[in-house]
Amino acid sequence: MTDKKENILHAALELFAKDGYNATPTSKIAKQAGVSEGLIFRHFGNKKGLLQALIEDAETRMGELLAPVIFESDPKMVIRKIITLPFSIDRSEYDFWKLQFKIKWEEEYNNPNKMKPLIDKLAWAFSELGFDGPEEEALLLNQIIDSISISILRDGVEPQASFQSFLLEKYNV
Amino acid sequence: MTDKKENILHAALELFAKDGYNATPTSKIAKQAGVSEGLIFRHFGNKKGLLQALIEDAETRMGELLAPVIFESDPKMVIRKIITLPFSIDRSEYDFWKLQFKIKWEEEYNNPNKMKPLIDKLAWAFSELGFDGPEEEALLLNQIIDSISISILRDGVEPQASFQSFLLEKYNV
DNA sequence: CGCTTTAAAGTGAGCGCTTACTTTTTTATT
DNA sequence: AATAAAAAAGTAAGCGCTCACTTTAAAGCG
């Protein structure tokens, strides 16, 4: 990966996250990346290809982020780890995750089943802990995590340690 | 409001909700509305004005939807009504609400404080019911409602009566 | 090593097309 | 015929993308 190629990815990420994919012209990306417009197309084929590269990158990272939860064997720790997750996103990666959430609203990129393995794991954990309706609990917690992430990324809400504690206590983990 | 003006609003709503604002040309809106393109600009000035009209309409409707919750005096009923809300959205209005949620990702249209009155009311209800940390509970429930709406509108998840019951029981309302 | 050849990376002008919006022409109504 | 509403035609800017070309890096070889 050359420097300029990475510059393009970085600029595109920032602009897509802020203004949206369709509202961001390739000319603007090139300008911000300090690169000729043509180079975008040499490296990524077309504008969609550039977005695709960002998405694939994200899928890898999402997998890495969820791995410690999926492979955790202590049910309490599963719940604890998933609750902690959105509060531990690094600021420098906000744009990165914001784009992922934003893109879910574009039909062709949204895959509601992507979270299935996580939800299954949560259901298992709740079941182990003797909750009534572990599937429903899993679904609910997944949605809570989702919505916390959204409030942080979209609304710019400061991640509140107190709210994290509140959740940890609520689930007793 | 003439018929054609309403046709334009209806077509724009559908297309904006499906493809997004920027990806929807006015020519397509006109075609779907069975109207000449110029008429859009006669009625709404410009494309943004058309979007604005849809947003203003939504704000009114949102107020109407939340009024029964805000003015409810029984704390249990406050919780019950807000939980029931996302499950009672009429299918014919999915596009309408989908657009509202989609638009929150555009910085200039997102106003995180819009839900303040509702959250305050929920906090009051939880306080009345003797919950620990009523503010946190209010925030949490508001986010749950938000994420349920999203899963229905964005992911096309069928509203599950069983999940609604699960929540009502969980909150004992 | 030095020299040549090939390949890869990078440039920027510009093309064809679509877009939001405007102006002109037609149609309908009183 | 006069006026307003709608349709049709037109415009200019901006878009994604191509392409002919230059520069830089890598590979082949005596």
Side-chain angles (χ1 to χ4, degrees), chain A residues 104-169:
Chain A
K104 286 193 191 172
W105 286 95
E106 320 284 318
E107 266 172 63
E108 62 185 298
Y109 294 110
N110 185 24
N111 176 211
N113 292 324
K114 219 189 308 188
M115 288 301 161
K116 185 92 193 333
L118 173 67
I119 293 170
D120 287 347
K121 184 76 185 187
L122 293 178
W124 167 84
F126 280 120
S127 174
E128 288 284 307
L129 295 169
F131 274 69
D132 293 341
E135 278 89 9
E136 282 85 357
E137 288 285 357
L139 230 56
L140 178 61
L141 183 53
N142 177 60
Q143 287 193 333
I144 290 173
I145 298 311
D146 214 58
S147 68
I148 292 173
S149 308
I150 289 173
S151 77
I152 293 172
L153 297 168
R154 184 192 65 193
D155 305 336
V157 170
E158 280 291 312
Q160 298 287 340
S162 60
F163 194 61
Q164 176 179 311
S165 310
F166 169 78
L167 285 172
L168 291 172
E169 272 175 43

